[in-house]
Amino acid sequence: MQQSKNVRKYIPVFLGVVIIATVILGTAVWCVNFLKKHDWAVQYAKKLEYTFDDSAVNMIIKKTERDKLYADGFAGFYDFNRDGQAEQVRINFSEDALGRTVQVALDENCAVQIALEPGEVQSVFTVVGIDSGDSTYMAALESVYNGKTGTGKLRWKVYGYQDGTFVQQEDLLYVGMADERGIMKEGVIESSFEGRTFSYDVGQNQNDYIYYRSVVFADMKELGISLPFETVGMFETAYKRNIRGIFNVIIK
């Protein structure tokens, strides 16, 4: 009887512990879900899911985990020659005294080297295949956004696929910082491709900056790439249905 009384005495304590543990667990689950819901990297990767199918790479890493990119290569797939069979595209990152680069290779005779932004920055690097008209293309884009200053920087190259090789079509840089109304206070639009070379600063050549930005963005939209006009949100690039993802890494 005495033992039964002792057991009953500890029941409220046990129930209290269970309730507290349940509350703590529930709070932890809520916090995890809340952080995922408001994590720009997770949301951005999810927006790209329709572009990046199971044959593509769509990953998120932390800045402290950047070494993962250099340890091994990555493989994506895209049917550049339109024979109904996707070719393997190799993505390899490297770093030396001159800086960081990435190599995008379809085979030994079809590889391009792309310089990456220096420093431990939050960035997104994307490689996509494009089906447009009678041609296929490969585009590589690196986007960097500084949330503290509201500055976005986007550098991208477009290559046409011709007879088993990548032929450069565009080499562009876009930098911008918008005010609270979305109007650019600082920015540069620049083309380094030999077939179309220019550089305009919004502070010194506002009209040319606005005009050429509109031309470049319209050209890219026609290919299927919707670039971010203003540095609002997280400076995200969107893709139309004629584009398939090959590789995407978000470094947050």
Side-chain angles (χ1 to χ4, degrees):
M1 182 69 74
Q2 183 66 36
Q3 185 177 4
S4 178
K5 287 182 180 179
N6 288 337
V7 170
R8 286 198 297 271
K9 183 173 68 174
Y10 287 110
I11 286 176
V13 176
F14 174 75
L15 290 175
V17 171
V18 170
I19 291 170
I20 291 171
T22 302
V23 170
I24 292 173
L25 180 60
T27 302
V29 170
W30 180 87
C31 287
V32 169
N33 290 333
F34 177 84
L35 291 173
K36 283 185 177 180
K37 185 176 180 180
H38 294 82
D39 186 326
W40 73 269
V42 171
Q43 294 305 306
Y44 193 14
K46 191 162 185 65
K47 289 178 184 177
L48 297 176
E49 283 182 354
Y50 77 91
T51 304
F52 287 80
D53 59 21
D54 292 339
S55 67
V57 178
N58 188 13
M59 62 188 295
I60 301 171
I61 65 172
K62 298 178 181 178
K63 285 186 284 187
T64 54
E65 301 173 325
R66 194 187 296 268
D67 289 346
K68 289 181 179 179
L69 297 177
Y70 302 93
D72 299 299
F74 300 89
F77 298 85
Y78 189 79
D79 184 10
F80 282 103
N81 59 16
R82 291 176 166 175
D83 64 353
Q85 192 73 30
E87 291 82 51
Q88 186 181 81
V89 182
R90 296 291 303 175
I91 313 290
N92 290 285
F93 292 82
S94 61
E95 184 174 15
D96 56 28
L98 298 176
R100 296 183 174 116
T101 59
V102 59
Q103 182 188 73
V104 182
L106 191 57
D107 56 48
E108 293 181 358
N109 300 316
C110 190
V112 296
Q113 292 272 86
I114 300 163
L116 298 175
E117 280 294 304
E120 300 301 317
V121 294
Q122 168 185 292
S123 63
V124 182
F125 179 75
T126 310
V127 179
V128 296
I130 305 170
D131 189 331
S132 180
D134 296 328
S135 303
T136 55
Y137 302 85
M138 186 271 286
L141 307 91
E142 186 183 24
S143 176
V144 177
Y145 181 75
N146 187 328
K148 293 180 181 179
T149 63
T151 304
K153 184 174 185 178
L154 183 60
R155 186 183 296 276
W156 72 102
K157 299 175 187 286
V158 179
Y159 300 85
Y161 178 80
Q162 298 176 13
D163 301 324
T165 61
F166 288 134
V167 180
Q168 190 172 47
Q169 305 286 323
E170 299 285 0
D171 184 354
L172 293 146
L173 169 69
Y174 169 59
V175 181
M177 182 171 69
D179 62 18
E180 62 278 1
R181 296 172 296 168
I183 298 173
M184 285 297 173
K185 298 190 298 182
E186 298 178 20
V188 174
I189 184 78
E190 180 178 294
S191 173
S192 301
F193 176 59
E194 60 183 16
R196 179 164 68 169
T197 304
F198 58 79
S199 180
Y200 297 106
D201 186 292
V202 69
Q204 302 172 18
N205 318 99
Q206 186 178 51
N207 291 337
D208 288 324
Y209 172 89
I210 294 171
Y211 172 75
Y212 279 97
R213 183 183 67 169
S214 298
V215 170
V216 167
F217 278 44
D219 289 346
M220 292 303 104
K221 192 170 184 179
E222 188 172 335
L223 274 180
I225 302 174
S226 298
L227 302 169
F229 262 93
E230 301 166 351
T231 51
V232 293
M234 291 306 304
F235 204 62
E236 296 173 354
T237 298
Y239 303 93
K240 295 184 179 180
R241 295 289 179 179
N242 66 308
I243 287 186
R244 300 307 306 166
I246 296 171
F247 177 85
N248 186 62
V249 59
I250 299 172
I251 301 173
K252 68 172 187 173

